[in-house]
Amino acid sequence: MIQDGIRATGSLLLNRLLSGIWVPMLVATILAVLLALGIGVLDERGLAALIASFGSPFDFGEQAAENHLDALLSVQVAVLTLYISITLLVLTLAASSLGSRLIERWIARIEIRATLVQWTALVAYSLAGRLFVDPGVPVPRGLVLTDFLLTILALGWLGFGYHRLARTAHIDTSIVGLGRTFGHDRQDWGLTAGPDPDAEPETVLRAWASGYLGGFRRDALIAAARSAGGRMAIRIPDGAYIVEGDPLVHFWGDDGTMQAAFRKTGEIADYRSDRPQGPFSLSLLVEIAARALSPSVNDHETAATCADWIGHGLSTRLRGEAGPEGWFTDDHGEARLHVPECGVIAQSRLYLSVFHRAARPHPFVARRLVAAYSAAYRRAQHEIDRAQLSEMIEEVMTGLAEDATDYERAAVEGAFDAARRGDPPLVSTNLAAE
C-alpha cells in the first residue's frame, strides 16, 4: 500500500527520491544527528540532573555513560553490517537464478529500507552523542537513555525485518508486485472517437533526451488537458525507445499546463524500469518465467504464477485501451488524451512469444497461460485485441499439442471456448488440484 502511494506521487522527482535508498538514509542520518545535539543541549540545561534525581540506576556517572554509548555503538554497527551483508547475500543468490534486474526492486522495498534507515540513524546518533562525554559538561544521561530505548525498539523491529527479507526474496512476492505494477494507472475512463490525432498540432513537445519513455499517469494528463481546455496526443507508447529531438507529444490549446503536467509525470530513462508505472513489468515477468522453465531451475509453479499475473495485467490494461482512433475523455465526455494505436497486445506480443516457446514442453504452464489470455479476452473492448489474443492462444495450443495428453488439450480448449462465450472457466486452471 505504501509503495503504491509512492508510485502515485505526482512529482517524478519526489517519486524517485522516496522510492530510492540513499535519500531516506541521508535524511535519517541528519535528523538523528540533530536529535542527538538537541538532547545533548537539554542535558546541559538540566535534563541530566532531572534524570539523576530519580536515583539508581538513573544517576550513573560519566564513565558509565561513555561505556554505555560505546557498547550501544558497537551493537548498532554490528547489526547494520550484518543486515547489509545478509541482505546482499540473500538477494544476490535469489537473483542468480531469477534475474539480476530484480535486485533493484528488492532492495527498494519499504521493509528493507526502513531497517537500513533505522540502524544507520542509530549509528549516527551514537557518534554524535559521544561529543557530549567530556569531564567539563554534565553527564549526558538523556542521550544515553534515549539511545538505549531507540536501540531496543530497533531490535524489536529487526525480527520483522528479517522475516520480510525472506518474504521479499521469495519470488512470488516479486511476481505479484510486477503483475500489479503492470496494470497500474489503468482505469475505466470514458472513450470517444475524437478528432484525428495526426492533424497538425499547435505545439510540439520534443524528447529532451534519448531513452525509454516511462509510464505516464493518464489521470493527471487528462486533468491537465481539461484545465487548459485542450487536448494532447502522445506519439510513442510508454516503454518505447525515443531519440532526443523526436516529437513526443502534440498539443492543441496548450497554455503550458499540459506540457508541465507531462514533464512532471513522464520520464525518459536510460534503462527500462517498472517504476513509476509499469511498461517494463511484463518483460520482467516473461524473463522470470523463461528462467524458471530452464533446465537449471525447472520451477513450473513459478512460471505458472507469472502466467496468472500476466493475465491480471493484460485484463486490467485492456479495460483502458482506447483503440486505434480512440481518445480518453474527461468527466464531461470531452476528448483530452490520445495514446498511440500500438496497444498493449501489439507492444507485448513479440516478447510474450518467448514465453510461448518456453511453455511448449510444459502443459501445466501452457494451460495457465491460455487461462490468462482467456481472462484478458473476456475484458478486451476492441475486436483487434480479441483477434490477437485468439491468435496468441492458438500459438500456445499449437505448441502444447506436441506434448500434451488428450485430456490436457480438451481442458484447454474447453476453457477458451467458455471464455469466448463469456462463461466462467469450465475447468480448474490448476492441474495439481486434479
Side-chain angles (χ1 to χ4, degrees):
M1 182 182 297
I2 296 176
Q3 286 175 306
D4 287 341
I6 291 174
R7 286 198 183 97
T9 301
S11 169
L12 177 64
L13 176 61
L14 185 58
N15 181 288
R16 287 299 184 187
L17 294 180
L18 291 175
S19 63
I21 298 176
W22 68 271
V23 171
M25 292 180 70
L26 177 62
V27 171
T29 299
I30 294 173
L31 292 178
V33 170
L34 294 176
L35 178 62
L37 295 177
I39 295 180
V41 171
L42 291 177
D43 277 330
E44 293 181 352
R45 295 186 177 182
L47 178 60
L50 177 62
I51 293 174
S53 67
F54 290 100
S56 181
F58 301 104
D59 57 351
F60 51 85
E62 176 188 324
Q63 188 61 48
E66 182 177 355
N67 291 341
H68 275 81
L69 283 174
D70 288 342
L72 289 169
L73 180 60
S74 298
V75 170
Q76 293 157 3
V77 170
V79 171
L80 179 61
T81 303
L82 181 64
Y83 185 80
I84 291 176
S85 301
I86 292 178
T87 299
L88 292 178
L89 177 63
V90 169
L91 299 186
T92 301
L93 288 175
S96 64
S97 60
L98 298 169
S100 59
R101 292 189 181 98
L102 292 173
I103 289 184
E104 180 187 4
R105 185 180 183 89
W106 287 337
I107 203 71
R109 285 188 65 84
I110 295 294
E111 301 88 347
I112 292 178
R113 282 186 287 148
T115 305
L116 290 172
V117 163
Q118 287 175 21
W119 290 97
T120 302
L122 283 172
V123 170
Y125 185 91
S126 296
L127 288 172
R130 289 290 279 108
L131 297 174
F132 292 89
V133 180
D134 187 88
V137 298
V139 177
R141 297 185 178 91
L143 266 170
V144 173
L145 291 178
T146 304
D147 200 2
F148 173 76
L149 291 175
L150 291 176
T151 302
I152 293 298
L153 291 174
L155 285 171
W157 167 276
L158 192 60
F160 172 76
Y162 274 116
H163 168 75
R164 293 302 300 174
L165 174 61
R167 182 71 258 180
T168 295
H170 194 291
I171 190 59
D172 283 356
T173 303
S174 293
I175 293 173
V176 172
L178 288 168
R180 294 196 183 281
T181 302
F182 180 34
H184 188 69
D185 194 36
R186 292 306 195 275
Q187 303 175 19
D188 295 328
W189 291 293
L191 303 173
T192 186
D196 182 6
D198 294 321
E200 186 69 22
E202 297 176 5
T203 310
V204 178
L205 174 64
R206 297 184 178 275
W208 52 88
S210 296
Y212 296 94
L213 178 62
F216 36 79
R217 290 184 55 200
R218 283 158 168 73
D219 56 343
L221 298 183
I222 293 171
R226 178 183 176 184
S227 176
R231 62 184 187 276
M232 70 178 80
I234 301 171
R235 307 310 296 165
I236 70 168
D238 49 346
Y241 187 83
I242 189 170
V243 177
E244 180 180 359
D246 283 351
L248 179 55
V249 190
H250 288 177
F251 298 97
W252 294 267
D254 182 33
D255 58 359
T257 302
M258 291 188 283
Q259 290 197 46
F262 190 88
R263 286 182 173 273
K264 184 178 180 180
T265 67
E267 172 190 26
I268 298 178
D270 293 338
Y271 57 91
R272 295 173 293 174
S273 173
D274 64 292
R275 289 186 290 271
Q277 311 303 331
F280 190 37
S281 299
L282 177 71
S283 301
L284 285 174
L285 286 172
V286 172
E287 180 179 332
I288 294 170
R291 284 176 176 269
L293 292 176
S294 66
S296 61
V297 179
N298 199 31
D299 184 354
H300 296 181
E301 189 58 52
T302 291
T305 304
C306 288
D308 295 339
W309 285 97
I310 286 174
H312 163 80
L314 289 175
S315 298
T316 305
R317 292 172 72 99
L318 285 173
R319 289 203 304 265
E321 286 287 302
E325 299 178 356
W327 287 72
F328 294 112
T329 70
D330 59 20
D331 294 339
H332 300 290
E334 295 292 329
R336 298 300 182 189
L337 174 66
H338 182 272
V339 296
E341 63 182 51
C342 180
V344 61
I345 300 296
Q347 283 181 257
S348 57
R349 184 169 179 180
L350 280 175
Y351 208 76
L352 284 167
S353 297
V354 175
F355 198 175
H356 298 174
R357 288 193 295 272
R360 283 179 181 176
H362 309 285
F364 169 73
V365 178
R367 187 180 181 192
R368 294 275 277 273
L369 189 54
V370 168
Y373 291 160
S374 297
Y377 183 96
R378 292 196 297 271
R379 291 162 176 79
Q381 299 189 72
H382 307 288
E383 185 57 38
I384 186 173
D385 292 326
R386 288 191 289 270
Q388 292 191 79
L389 284 166
S390 296
E391 293 174 3
M392 291 161 63
I393 291 173
E394 292 299 329
E395 289 177 11
V396 177
M397 291 173 61
T398 300
L400 175 68
E402 299 175 1
D403 298 284
T405 65
D406 291 340
Y407 166 75
E408 290 166 335
R409 284 195 296 272
V412 171
E413 292 169 358
F416 180 54
D417 289 341
R420 296 171 73 172
R421 295 193 303 268
D423 300 333
L426 296 177
V427 293
S428 167
T429 59
N430 189 344
L431 287 175
E434 301 174 4

